Amino acid sequence: MRRLLPLALLLAACAPAVRPQPVQTWEGSARVLLSVQQYRLTFTVDPVSHALSGTLANLSSGDRFEASGTLLPAGDAAELTAQVTPGSAPRLNAGILGFGISGLSLKAEAMLSGQITGELFAGSLRVNGLRYPLTLRRVQ
């Protein structure tokens, strides 16, 4: 047992240190149907796998969505692709005489994609097959 303790300490010292991932916050707007909607994208990126996880908040409506995807380096820019899901949004359960629907989300899923160059994200938000241009600026 005494021999294993120094070996365990040596192996622990060689393990890579877990570095906190910086939180990035981006804000901007998109014209969805006939109105301009304000958005805030907050996320972290794993530096090894380039996996992105965070939230997309619609500041105009107060809705909040989960975002997961990738942020891949591409020269002087980075390509962001994320699936946006309603997460724990309310779901519809209804039925009449044994027929009905169960677990239908009242909020639609979306796909967020675009390119980050410096402090600017230029891309689009695709909801129900319709693509809306989205521009965000880094605030943190």
Side-chain angles (χ1 to χ4, degrees):
M1 181 70 173
R2 286 187 174 172
R3 290 184 193 178
L4 292 178
L5 185 59
L7 181 61
L9 292 174
L10 182 62
L11 289 175
C14 294
V18 176
R19 286 184 245 153
Q21 300 169 1
V23 175
Q24 297 186 36
T25 303
W26 299 73
E27 290 183 355
S29 62
R31 181 172 293 279
V32 178
L33 297 177
L34 299 175
S35 66
V36 175
Q37 301 288 308
Q38 298 296 318
Y39 289 96
R40 177 182 295 139
L41 176 64
T42 305
F43 63 88
T44 60
V45 178
D46 183 313
V48 176
S49 67
H50 303 288
L52 175 146
S53 64
T55 60
L56 178 67
N58 183 329
L59 302 175
S60 301
S61 69
D63 293 330
R64 189 179 181 112
F65 301 89
E66 296 174 4
S68 62
T70 58
L71 183 64
L72 300 173
D76 292 337
E79 294 288 330
L80 186 149
T81 305
Q83 182 71 33
V84 180
T85 59
S88 61
R91 300 196 175 269
L92 178 63
N93 295 311
I96 297 176
L97 300 174
F99 296 100
I101 52 176
S102 177
L104 178 66
S105 176
L106 299 177
K107 303 290 179 183
E109 291 187 1
M111 178 63 81
L112 177 65
S113 60
Q115 190 172 48
I116 293 177
T117 308
E119 302 292 311
L120 179 69
F121 169 82
S124 64
L125 185 64
R126 186 187 311 225
V127 182
N128 294 329
L130 298 174
R131 182 178 236 135
Y132 304 104
L134 176 66
T135 304
L136 303 172
R137 295 202 182 279
R138 187 175 184 151
V139 294
Q140 180 181 8

